[in-house]
Coordinates of all heavy atoms in Angstrom, one line a residue:
M1 N -64.4 23.8 -4.1 CA -64.3 25.0 -3.4 C -63.0 25.8 -3.8 O -62.0 25.1 -3.8 CB -64.5 24.9 -1.9 CG -64.5 26.3 -1.1 SD -64.8 26.0 0.6 CE -63.3 26.7 1.2
S2 N -63.1 27.0 -3.9 CA -61.9 27.8 -4.2 C -61.8 29.0 -3.3 O -62.8 29.5 -2.7 CB -61.8 28.3 -5.6 OG -63.0 29.1 -6.0
K3 N -60.5 29.5 -3.1 CA -60.3 30.7 -2.3 C -59.6 31.7 -3.1 O -58.6 31.4 -3.8 CB -59.4 30.3 -1.0 CG -60.1 29.3 -0.1 CD -59.2 29.0 1.1 CE -59.9 28.0 2.0 NZ -59.1 27.7 3.1
H4 N -60.1 32.9 -3.2 CA -59.6 33.9 -4.0 C -58.8 34.9 -3.2 O -59.3 35.4 -2.2 CB -60.8 34.6 -4.7 CG -61.6 33.7 -5.6 ND1 -61.5 33.8 -6.9 CD2 -62.4 32.7 -5.3 CE1 -62.4 32.8 -7.4 NE2 -62.8 32.2 -6.5
H5 N -57.6 35.2 -3.6 CA -56.7 36.1 -2.9 C -56.5 37.4 -3.6 O -56.3 37.4 -4.9 CB -55.3 35.3 -2.6 CG -55.5 34.2 -1.8 ND1 -56.0 33.0 -2.3 CD2 -55.2 33.9 -0.5 CE1 -56.0 32.1 -1.3 NE2 -55.5 32.6 -0.2
F6 N -56.5 38.4 -2.9 CA -56.2 39.7 -3.5 C -55.2 40.5 -2.6 O -55.2 40.3 -1.3 CB -57.5 40.6 -3.5 CG -58.6 40.0 -4.4 CD1 -59.5 39.1 -3.9 CD2 -58.6 40.4 -5.7 CE1 -60.4 38.5 -4.8 CE2 -59.6 39.9 -6.6 CZ -60.5 38.9 -6.0
V7 N -54.4 41.2 -3.2 CA -53.3 42.1 -2.4 C -53.9 43.5 -2.4 O -54.1 44.1 -3.5 CB -51.9 41.9 -3.0 CG1 -51.0 42.9 -2.3 CG2 -51.4 40.5 -2.9
V8 N -54.1 44.1 -1.2 CA -54.5 45.4 -1.1 C -53.4 46.1 -0.3 O -52.9 45.7 0.7 CB -55.8 45.5 -0.3 CG1 -56.3 46.9 -0.1 CG2 -56.9 44.7 -1.1
M9 N -53.1 47.4 -0.8 CA -52.0 48.1 -0.2 C -52.5 49.5 0.1 O -53.3 50.0 -0.6 CB -50.9 48.2 -1.2 CG -49.8 49.2 -0.8 SD -48.5 49.4 -2.1 CE -49.4 50.5 -3.2
F10 N -52.0 50.0 1.3 CA -52.3 51.4 1.7 C -51.1 52.3 1.4 O -50.0 52.0 1.8 CB -52.7 51.5 3.2 CG -53.0 52.9 3.6 CD1 -54.2 53.5 3.2 CD2 -52.1 53.7 4.3 CE1 -54.5 54.8 3.6 CE2 -52.4 54.9 4.7 CZ -53.6 55.5 4.3
D11 N -51.2 53.3 0.6 CA -50.2 54.2 0.2 C -50.3 55.4 1.2 O -51.2 56.2 1.2 CB -50.4 54.7 -1.2 CG -49.3 55.6 -1.7 OD1 -48.7 56.4 -0.9 OD2 -49.0 55.5 -2.9
S12 N -49.3 55.5 2.1 CA -49.3 56.5 3.1 C -49.0 57.9 2.6 O -49.4 58.8 3.2 CB -48.2 56.2 4.3 OG -47.0 56.1 3.7
E13 N -48.5 58.0 1.4 CA -48.3 59.2 0.8 C -49.6 59.8 0.2 O -50.0 61.0 0.5 CB -47.3 59.2 -0.4 CG -46.8 60.5 -0.9 CD -45.7 60.4 -1.9 OE1 -44.7 59.7 -1.5 OE2 -45.8 60.9 -2.9
T14 N -50.4 59.0 -0.5 CA -51.6 59.5 -1.1 C -52.8 59.2 -0.2 O -53.9 59.8 -0.5 CB -51.9 58.7 -2.5 OG1 -52.1 57.4 -2.2 CG2 -50.8 59.0 -3.5
K15 N -52.5 58.5 0.9 CA -53.7 58.1 1.8 C -54.8 57.3 1.2 O -56.0 57.6 1.4 CB -54.1 59.4 2.5 CG -53.2 60.2 3.1 CD -52.7 59.6 4.4 CE -51.8 60.7 5.2 NZ -50.7 60.1 5.9
E16 N -54.5 56.5 0.2 CA -55.4 55.7 -0.5 C -55.1 54.2 -0.5 O -53.9 53.9 -0.4 CB -55.5 56.1 -2.0 CG -56.0 57.6 -2.1 CD -56.0 57.9 -3.7 OE1 -55.2 57.5 -4.4 OE2 -56.9 58.8 -4.0
W17 N -56.1 53.5 -0.5 CA -55.9 52.0 -0.6 C -55.9 51.7 -2.1 O -56.6 52.3 -3.0 CB -57.2 51.3 0.0 CG -57.1 51.4 1.5 CD1 -57.7 52.3 2.2 CD2 -56.5 50.5 2.4 NE1 -57.5 52.1 3.6 CE2 -56.8 51.0 3.7 CE3 -55.7 49.4 2.2 CZ2 -56.2 50.3 4.8 CZ3 -55.2 48.7 3.4 CH2 -55.4 49.2 4.7
I18 N -55.1 50.7 -2.5 CA -54.9 50.3 -3.9 C -55.0 48.8 -4.0 O -54.5 48.0 -3.2 CB -53.5 50.8 -4.4 CG1 -53.4 52.3 -4.3 CG2 -53.3 50.4 -5.8 CD1 -52.0 52.9 -4.4
W19 N -55.7 48.3 -5.1 CA -55.7 46.9 -5.4 C -54.4 46.7 -6.1 O -54.2 47.1 -7.2 CB -56.9 46.6 -6.3 CG -57.0 45.2 -6.7 CD1 -56.1 44.1 -6.4 CD2 -58.0 44.7 -7.6 NE1 -56.6 43.0 -7.1 CE2 -57.7 43.3 -7.8 CE3 -59.2 45.2 -8.2 CZ2 -58.6 42.5 -8.4 CZ3 -60.0 44.3 -8.9 CH2 -59.7 43.1 -9.0
D20 N -53.4 46.0 -5.5 CA -52.0 46.0 -6.0 C -51.9 44.7 -6.8 O -51.3 43.7 -6.3 CB -51.1 46.0 -4.8 CG -49.6 46.1 -5.2 OD1 -49.3 46.1 -6.4 OD2 -48.8 46.3 -4.3
T21 N -52.2 44.8 -8.1 CA -52.1 43.7 -9.0 C -50.6 43.3 -9.4 O -50.4 42.1 -9.6 CB -53.0 43.8 -10.3 OG1 -52.5 45.1 -10.9 CG2 -54.4 44.0 -10.0
E22 N -49.7 44.2 -9.3 CA -48.4 44.0 -9.6 C -47.8 43.0 -8.4 O -47.0 42.1 -8.7 CB -47.5 45.2 -9.7 CG -47.8 46.0 -10.9 CD -47.0 47.3 -11.1 OE1 -45.9 47.4 -10.4 OE2 -47.4 48.1 -11.8
T23 N -48.1 43.3 -7.2 CA -47.6 42.5 -6.1 C -48.3 41.1 -6.2 O -47.7 40.1 -5.9 CB -47.8 43.2 -4.7 OG1 -47.1 44.4 -4.7 CG2 -47.4 42.3 -3.6
E24 N -49.6 41.1 -6.5 CA -50.3 39.9 -6.7 C -49.6 38.9 -7.7 O -49.3 37.8 -7.3 CB -51.7 40.1 -7.2 CG -52.8 40.4 -6.2 CD -54.1 40.5 -6.9 OE1 -54.4 40.3 -8.0 OE2 -55.0 40.9 -6.1
T25 N -49.2 39.5 -8.8 CA -48.5 38.7 -9.8 C -47.1 38.2 -9.2 O -46.7 37.1 -9.5 CB -48.3 39.5 -11.0 OG1 -49.6 39.9 -11.6 CG2 -47.6 38.7 -12.1
A26 N -46.4 39.1 -8.5 CA -45.1 38.8 -8.0 C -45.2 37.7 -6.9 O -44.4 36.8 -6.8 CB -44.4 40.0 -7.5
K27 N -46.2 37.8 -6.1 CA -46.3 36.9 -4.9 C -47.2 35.6 -5.2 O -47.0 34.6 -4.5 CB -47.0 37.7 -3.7 CG -46.2 38.8 -3.2 CD -44.9 38.3 -2.6 CE -44.1 39.5 -2.0 NZ -42.8 39.1 -1.4
F28 N -47.9 35.7 -6.2 CA -48.8 34.6 -6.6 C -48.6 34.2 -8.1 O -49.4 34.4 -8.9 CB -50.2 34.8 -6.4 CG -50.6 35.0 -4.9 CD1 -50.7 36.3 -4.4 CD2 -51.0 34.0 -4.2 CE1 -51.0 36.5 -3.1 CE2 -51.4 34.2 -2.8 CZ -51.4 35.5 -2.3
P29 N -47.3 33.8 -8.5 CA -46.9 33.5 -9.8 C -47.8 32.5 -10.5 O -48.0 32.6 -11.7 CB -45.5 33.1 -9.8 CG -45.3 32.6 -8.4 CD -46.2 33.4 -7.6
D30 N -48.4 31.6 -9.8 CA -49.2 30.6 -10.3 C -50.7 30.9 -10.3 O -51.5 30.1 -10.8 CB -49.1 29.2 -9.6 CG -47.6 28.7 -9.7 OD1 -47.0 28.9 -10.7 OD2 -47.0 28.1 -8.7
G31 N -51.1 32.1 -9.9 CA -52.4 32.5 -9.9 C -52.8 32.9 -8.5 O -52.2 32.5 -7.5
T32 N -54.0 33.6 -8.3 CA -54.4 34.0 -7.0 C -55.7 33.2 -6.5 O -56.2 33.5 -5.4 CB -54.8 35.5 -7.1 OG1 -55.8 35.7 -8.1 CG2 -53.7 36.4 -7.4
I33 N -55.9 32.1 -7.2 CA -57.1 31.3 -6.8 C -56.6 29.9 -6.3 O -55.9 29.3 -7.1 CB -58.1 31.2 -7.9 CG1 -58.6 32.6 -8.3 CG2 -59.4 30.3 -7.4 CD1 -59.4 32.6 -9.7
W34 N -56.9 29.5 -5.1 CA -56.5 28.2 -4.6 C -57.7 27.3 -4.8 O -58.8 27.5 -4.2 CB -56.1 28.3 -3.1 CG -55.7 27.0 -2.6 CD1 -56.6 26.3 -1.6 CD2 -54.6 26.2 -2.8 NE1 -55.9 25.2 -1.2 CE2 -54.8 25.1 -2.0 CE3 -53.6 26.3 -3.7 CZ2 -53.9 24.0 -2.0 CZ3 -52.7 25.2 -3.7 CH2 -52.8 24.1 -2.9
D35 N -57.5 26.2 -5.5 CA -58.5 25.2 -5.6 C -58.4 24.1 -4.5 O -57.3 23.3 -4.4 CB -58.3 24.5 -7.0 CG -59.5 23.5 -7.3 OD1 -59.9 22.7 -6.4 OD2 -59.9 23.5 -8.5
E36 N -59.3 24.0 -3.6 CA -59.3 23.2 -2.5 C -59.2 21.7 -2.9 O -58.8 20.8 -2.3 CB -60.4 23.5 -1.5 CG -60.2 24.7 -0.7 CD -59.2 24.5 0.4 OE1 -59.0 23.4 1.0 OE2 -58.4 25.5 0.7
V37 N -60.0 21.4 -4.0 CA -60.1 20.0 -4.4 C -58.8 19.5 -5.1 O -58.2 18.5 -4.7 CB -61.3 19.8 -5.4 CG1 -61.4 18.4 -5.9 CG2 -62.6 20.2 -4.7
K38 N -58.4 20.3 -6.1 CA -57.1 19.9 -6.8 C -55.8 20.3 -6.0 O -54.8 19.8 -6.4 CB -57.0 20.6 -8.1 CG -58.2 20.2 -9.1 CD -58.1 20.9 -10.3 CE -59.2 20.5 -11.2 NZ -59.2 21.2 -12.5
K39 N -55.9 21.1 -4.9 CA -54.8 21.4 -4.1 C -53.7 22.2 -5.0 O -52.6 21.9 -5.0 CB -54.1 20.3 -3.4 CG -55.1 19.6 -2.5 CD -55.5 20.5 -1.3 CE -56.3 19.7 -0.4 NZ -57.1 20.6 0.6
E40 N -54.2 23.1 -5.8 CA -53.3 23.9 -6.7 C -53.8 25.3 -6.9 O -55.0 25.5 -6.8 CB -53.1 23.2 -8.0 CG -54.4 23.1 -8.9 CD -54.2 22.2 -10.1 OE1 -53.2 21.4 -10.2 OE2 -55.0 22.4 -11.0
W41 N -52.9 26.1 -7.3 CA -53.2 27.6 -7.7 C -53.6 27.7 -9.1 O -53.0 26.9 -9.9 CB -52.1 28.4 -7.4 CG -51.7 28.6 -5.9 CD1 -50.7 27.8 -5.2 CD2 -52.3 29.5 -5.0 NE1 -50.7 28.2 -4.0 CE2 -51.7 29.2 -3.7 CE3 -53.2 30.5 -5.1 CZ2 -52.0 30.0 -2.6 CZ3 -53.6 31.1 -3.9 CH2 -52.9 30.9 -2.7
Y42 N -54.4 28.6 -9.5 CA -54.7 28.9 -10.8 C -55.0 30.4 -11.0 O -55.4 31.1 -10.1 CB -55.7 28.0 -11.5 CG -57.1 28.2 -10.9 CD1 -58.1 28.9 -11.6 CD2 -57.6 27.5 -9.8 CE1 -59.4 29.0 -11.2 CE2 -58.9 27.6 -9.4 CZ -59.7 28.4 -10.1 OH -61.0 28.4 -9.6
R43 N -55.1 30.8 -12.2 CA -55.3 32.2 -12.6 C -56.9 32.4 -12.9 O -57.5 31.5 -13.3 CB -54.6 32.7 -13.7 CG -53.1 32.7 -13.5 CD -52.3 33.2 -14.8 NE -50.9 32.8 -14.7 CZ -50.0 33.4 -13.9 NH1 -50.5 34.2 -13.1 NH2 -48.8 33.0 -13.9
G44 N -57.3 33.6 -12.6 CA -58.7 33.9 -13.0 C -59.0 33.9 -14.4 O -60.1 33.6 -14.9
Y45 N -58.0 34.3 -15.2 CA -58.2 34.3 -16.7 C -58.1 32.8 -17.2 O -57.1 32.2 -17.0 CB -57.2 35.2 -17.4 CG -57.3 35.3 -18.9 CD1 -58.4 35.8 -19.4 CD2 -56.4 34.7 -19.7 CE1 -58.7 35.8 -20.8 CE2 -56.5 34.8 -21.1 CZ -57.6 35.3 -21.6 OH -57.8 35.4 -23.0
M46 N -59.1 32.4 -17.9 CA -59.1 30.9 -18.3 C -58.7 30.8 -19.7 O -58.7 29.7 -20.2 CB -60.5 30.4 -18.1 CG -61.1 30.6 -16.7 SD -60.1 29.9 -15.4 CE -60.6 28.2 -15.5
G47 N -58.4 31.9 -20.5 CA -58.0 31.8 -21.9 C -59.3 32.1 -22.8 O -60.4 31.9 -22.4
D48 N -59.0 32.5 -24.0 CA -60.0 32.7 -24.9 C -61.1 33.8 -24.5 O -62.2 33.6 -24.8 CB -60.7 31.5 -25.4 CG -59.8 30.5 -26.1 OD1 -58.9 31.0 -26.9 OD2 -60.0 29.3 -26.1
G49 N -60.7 34.7 -23.8 CA -61.5 35.7 -23.3 C -62.3 35.3 -22.0 O -63.2 36.2 -21.6
G50 N -62.2 34.2 -21.6 CA -63.0 33.7 -20.4 C -62.3 33.8 -19.1 O -61.1 33.7 -19.0
Y51 N -63.1 34.1 -18.0 CA -62.6 34.3 -16.7 C -63.3 33.3 -15.8 O -64.5 32.9 -16.0 CB -62.8 35.6 -16.2 CG -61.9 36.6 -16.9 CD1 -62.3 37.2 -18.1 CD2 -60.7 37.0 -16.4 CE1 -61.5 38.1 -18.8 CE2 -59.9 37.9 -17.0 CZ -60.2 38.5 -18.2 OH -59.5 39.3 -18.8
D52 N -62.7 32.9 -14.7 CA -63.3 32.2 -13.6 C -64.6 33.0 -13.2 O -64.4 34.1 -12.9 CB -62.4 32.0 -12.5 CG -63.1 31.3 -11.3 OD1 -63.7 32.1 -10.5 OD2 -63.0 30.1 -11.2
P53 N -65.8 32.4 -13.1 CA -66.9 33.3 -12.9 C -67.0 33.9 -11.6 O -67.4 35.1 -11.5 CB -68.1 32.3 -13.2 CG -67.5 30.9 -13.2 CD -66.1 31.0 -13.5
V54 N -66.6 33.2 -10.5 CA -66.5 33.8 -9.2 C -65.5 34.9 -9.2 O -65.7 36.0 -8.7 CB -66.2 32.7 -8.1 CG1 -66.1 33.4 -6.7 CG2 -67.4 31.7 -8.1
D55 N -64.3 34.7 -9.7 CA -63.3 35.7 -9.7 C -63.7 36.9 -10.5 O -63.5 38.1 -10.0 CB -62.0 35.1 -10.3 CG -60.8 36.0 -10.1 OD1 -60.5 36.1 -8.8 OD2 -60.1 36.5 -11.0
E56 N -64.4 36.7 -11.5 CA -64.9 37.9 -12.3 C -66.0 38.6 -11.6 O -65.8 39.9 -11.6 CB -65.6 37.3 -13.7 CG -66.0 38.4 -14.6 CD -66.4 37.8 -16.0 OE1 -67.0 36.7 -16.0 OE2 -66.2 38.5 -17.0
Q57 N -66.8 38.0 -10.9 CA -67.8 38.7 -10.0 C -67.2 39.5 -8.9 O -67.5 40.6 -8.6 CB -68.8 37.7 -9.5 CG -70.0 38.3 -8.7 CD -70.9 37.3 -8.2 OE1 -70.7 36.1 -8.2 NE2 -72.1 37.8 -7.9
I58 N -66.2 38.8 -8.2 CA -65.5 39.5 -7.2 C -64.7 40.7 -7.7 O -64.8 41.8 -7.1 CB -64.5 38.6 -6.5 CG1 -65.2 37.5 -5.7 CG2 -63.5 39.3 -5.5 CD1 -64.4 36.4 -5.2
A59 N -64.1 40.5 -8.8 CA -63.3 41.7 -9.4 C -64.2 42.8 -9.8 O -63.8 44.0 -9.7 CB -62.5 41.2 -10.6
E60 N -65.4 42.5 -10.2 CA -66.4 43.5 -10.6 C -66.7 44.4 -9.3 O -66.9 45.6 -9.5 CB -67.7 42.9 -11.1 CG -68.8 43.8 -11.5 CD -70.0 43.2 -12.1 OE1 -69.8 42.1 -12.8 OE2 -71.1 43.6 -11.8
Y61 N -66.9 43.8 -8.1 CA -67.2 44.5 -6.9 C -66.0 45.1 -6.2 O -66.2 45.8 -5.2 CB -68.1 43.7 -6.1 CG -69.4 43.4 -6.7 CD1 -69.8 42.2 -7.3 CD2 -70.4 44.4 -6.8 CE1 -71.0 41.9 -7.9 CE2 -71.6 44.2 -7.4 CZ -71.9 43.0 -7.9 OH -73.1 42.8 -8.6
F62 N -64.8 44.6 -6.4 CA -63.7 44.9 -5.7 C -63.3 46.4 -5.6 O -62.9 46.9 -4.5 CB -62.5 44.1 -6.1 CG -61.5 43.9 -5.0 CD1 -61.8 43.0 -4.0 CD2 -60.3 44.5 -4.9 CE1 -60.9 42.8 -3.0 CE2 -59.3 44.3 -3.9 CZ -59.7 43.4 -2.9
P63 N -63.5 47.2 -6.6 CA -63.4 48.7 -6.5 C -64.2 49.2 -5.5 O -63.9 50.3 -4.9 CB -63.7 49.1 -8.0 CG -63.4 48.1 -8.8 CD -63.8 46.7 -8.0
Q64 N -65.5 48.7 -5.2 CA -66.3 49.2 -4.1 C -65.7 48.9 -2.8 O -65.8 49.8 -1.9 CB -67.7 48.6 -4.3 CG -68.5 49.1 -5.5 CD -69.8 48.3 -5.6 OE1 -70.1 47.4 -4.9 NE2 -70.5 48.7 -6.7
V65 N -65.0 47.8 -2.7 CA -64.3 47.5 -1.4 C -63.2 48.5 -1.2 O -63.1 49.1 -0.1 CB -63.7 46.0 -1.5 CG1 -62.8 45.8 -0.3 CG2 -64.9 45.0 -1.6
I66 N -62.4 48.8 -2.2 CA -61.4 49.8 -2.1 C -62.0 51.2 -1.7 O -61.4 51.8 -0.8 CB -60.6 49.9 -3.4 CG1 -59.9 48.5 -3.8 CG2 -59.6 51.0 -3.3 CD1 -58.9 48.1 -2.8
E67 N -63.0 51.5 -2.3 CA -63.7 52.8 -2.0 C -64.2 52.8 -0.6 O -64.0 53.9 0.1 CB -64.9 53.0 -2.9 CG -65.6 54.4 -2.7 CD -66.7 54.7 -3.7 OE1 -66.9 53.8 -4.6 OE2 -67.5 55.6 -3.4
T68 N -64.7 51.7 -0.1 CA -65.1 51.7 1.3 C -63.9 51.8 2.3 O -64.0 52.5 3.3 CB -65.8 50.4 1.6 OG1 -67.0 50.3 0.8 CG2 -66.3 50.2 3.1
L69 N -62.8 51.2 2.0 CA -61.6 51.3 2.8 C -61.2 52.8 2.8 O -60.7 53.3 3.8 CB -60.5 50.5 2.3 CG -60.7 49.0 2.5 CD1 -59.7 48.2 1.7 CD2 -60.7 48.6 3.9
D70 N -61.1 53.4 1.6 CA -60.8 54.9 1.5 C -61.7 55.7 2.5 O -61.2 56.6 3.1 CB -60.8 55.4 0.1 CG -59.6 54.9 -0.7 OD1 -58.6 54.6 -0.1 OD2 -59.7 54.9 -2.0
N71 N -63.0 55.5 2.3 CA -64.0 56.2 3.1 C -63.8 56.0 4.6 O -63.8 57.0 5.4 CB -65.4 55.8 2.7 CG -65.8 56.3 1.3 OD1 -65.1 57.3 0.8 ND2 -66.8 55.7 0.7
L72 N -63.5 54.8 5.0 CA -63.2 54.5 6.4 C -62.0 55.2 6.9 O -62.0 55.7 8.1 CB -63.2 53.0 6.7 CG -64.5 52.2 6.5 CD1 -64.2 50.7 6.6 CD2 -65.4 52.7 7.6
H73 N -60.9 55.2 6.1 CA -59.8 55.9 6.4 C -60.0 57.4 6.6 O -59.5 58.0 7.6 CB -58.6 55.6 5.4 CG -57.4 56.4 5.7 ND1 -56.5 56.0 6.8 CD2 -56.8 57.5 5.2 CE1 -55.5 56.8 6.8 NE2 -55.7 57.8 6.0
A74 N -60.7 58.0 5.7 CA -61.0 59.4 5.8 C -61.8 59.8 7.0 O -61.5 60.8 7.7 CB -61.8 59.9 4.5
I75 N -62.8 58.9 7.3 CA -63.6 59.2 8.6 C -62.6 59.0 9.8 O -62.7 59.9 10.7 CB -64.7 58.1 8.7 CG1 -65.8 58.4 7.6 CG2 -65.4 58.1 10.1 CD1 -66.8 57.3 7.5
N76 N -61.7 58.1 9.8 CA -60.9 57.9 11.0 C -59.9 59.1 11.1 O -59.6 59.5 12.2 CB -60.1 56.6 10.7 CG -59.2 56.3 12.0 OD1 -59.7 56.4 13.1 ND2 -57.9 55.9 11.7
E77 N -59.5 59.7 9.9 CA -58.5 60.8 9.9 C -59.3 62.1 10.5 O -58.6 62.9 11.0 CB -58.0 61.1 8.5 CG -57.0 60.1 8.0 CD -55.7 60.2 8.7 OE1 -55.1 61.3 8.6 OE2 -55.3 59.3 9.4
M78 N -60.6 62.1 10.3 CA -61.3 63.3 10.8 C -61.5 63.3 12.4 O -61.7 64.3 12.9 CB -62.7 63.3 10.2 CG -62.7 63.6 8.7 SD -64.2 63.4 7.8 CE -65.4 64.2 8.7
G79 N -61.3 62.2 12.9 CA -61.2 62.1 14.3 C -62.2 61.5 15.1 O -62.5 61.6 16.2

């Protein structure tokens, strides 16, 4: 089993949520995926153009998560 970590930031100036990959890299230098069996971190990129299949699937849908957060914030701002 693995746990996939993502850093999401809210920019109060632009009022938008952002998938903050720069902070991910800084805060998770060994990767953003925690392997429960091996008890170690690893990166989604596996080399030779290959990616962890679960991480790749999550990354594919993650922009929709960001869009949903943006929409929820906009609704909340409307009152």
Side-chain angles (χ1 to χ4, degrees):
M1 183 174 117
S2 59
K3 295 180 180 179
H4 299 253
H5 296 75
F6 297 87
V7 175
V8 179
M9 173 187 71
F10 181 74
D11 185 325
S12 61
E13 189 173 307
T14 64
K15 307 284 190 215
E16 293 179 332
W17 290 91
I18 300 164
W19 179 0
D20 190 352
T21 57
E22 288 181 20
T23 300
E24 275 183 5
T25 301
K27 298 294 183 181
F28 296 93
D30 297 326
T32 57
I33 305 169
W34 175 251
D35 185 317
E36 283 288 327
V37 175
K38 296 179 181 178
K39 303 293 185 200
E40 65 185 20
W41 293 96
Y42 68 96
R43 299 181 193 290
Y45 181 67
M46 309 301 279
D48 294 328
Y51 291 86
D52 175 273
V54 173
D55 197 59
E56 187 173 34
Q57 185 177 19
I58 292 169
E60 182 179 323
Y61 292 106
F62 209 70
Q64 293 173 357
V65 172
I66 299 296
E67 182 179 350
T68 300
L69 289 170
D70 283 337
N71 291 340
L72 289 172
H73 177 75
I75 290 168
N76 188 45
E77 287 289 300
M78 292 170 49

